Amino acid sequence: MAITGRIRVLANAIQAGSDQVLANYGLTRADFDILSVLVRSGRALSPTEITAQSLISAPGTTKRLQRMIAEDLVRKIENPRDRRGYLIEPTGKAEEVFQPIVESISAYEQELLKELAPRHIIQLTEGLRALTQVVAQSKQARS
């Protein structure tokens, strides 16, 4: 519990800090997750693809997309493979704000780590990598 409890405390604190960065841009974590999926994909995606890649529920994706369309962060375009459906792509505005947001979150995270000695950063990295592998293997074993 000493390890997992600390991980929970750190995860909550780090997320709260990065959520504040996002709030400064008028976005939520889910909004940013959707933008990340779209910008990094390099192509327009269907709402179903966005839902699957962002791990947000379908109704949650729809709600956020509607708001993001109204805020000119994303737009609907016709799906050339299915005229009944549509695809979503980021707008120029989304692409303009995405990189500064990533840089701001990265700067926030770097600020948190700057007081650690390089050897502690290496130890943390190695220990967390090992724990991540154990968790992934445990998850696969349960499936």
Side-chain angles (χ1 to χ4, degrees):
M1 287 181 21
I3 293 171
T4 57
R6 284 183 176 100
I7 290 171
R8 276 192 215 81
V9 168
L10 289 170
N12 289 337
I14 292 167
Q15 183 161 341
S18 63
D19 284 348
Q20 184 57 54
V21 170
L22 293 171
N24 293 341
Y25 288 90
L27 297 174
T28 65
R29 167 85 37 207
D31 297 337
F32 184 70
D33 289 346
I34 289 172
L35 280 182
S36 294
V37 166
L38 286 167
V39 170
R40 291 180 177 151
S41 76
R43 64 180 180 87
L45 300 173
S46 71
T48 301
E49 290 174 303
I50 295 168
T51 297
Q53 292 183 36
S54 66
L55 303 175
I56 300 170
S57 69
T61 299
T62 300
K63 177 182 172 184
R64 285 172 180 84
L65 287 175
Q66 289 171 347
R67 189 172 50 71
M68 293 169 78
I69 288 168
E71 293 176 6
D72 192 36
L73 290 169
V74 299
R75 70 177 146 256
K76 287 183 183 181
I77 60 171
E78 185 177 289
N79 185 340
R81 293 186 181 153
D82 179 1
R83 301 245 183 237
R84 296 170 295 157
Y86 61 91
L87 300 174
I88 300 291
E89 67 180 3
T91 62
K93 179 180 176 182
E95 293 173 358
E96 286 174 18
V97 299
F98 182 75
Q99 194 58 38
I101 291 171
V102 170
E103 290 169 3
S104 294
I105 290 172
S106 180
Y108 163 72
E109 292 170 351
Q110 289 299 316
E111 183 69 22
L112 293 175
L113 299 173
K114 78 176 188 176
E115 297 298 321
L116 294 178
R119 68 182 173 87
H120 289 135
I121 291 174
I122 292 168
Q123 289 170 338
L124 271 170
T125 302
E126 291 171 353
L128 291 171
R129 183 181 300 120
L131 180 58
T132 301
Q133 289 172 344
V134 168
V135 169
Q137 290 168 352
S138 173
K139 188 175 176 181
Q140 287 176 349
R142 288 189 305 238
S143 298

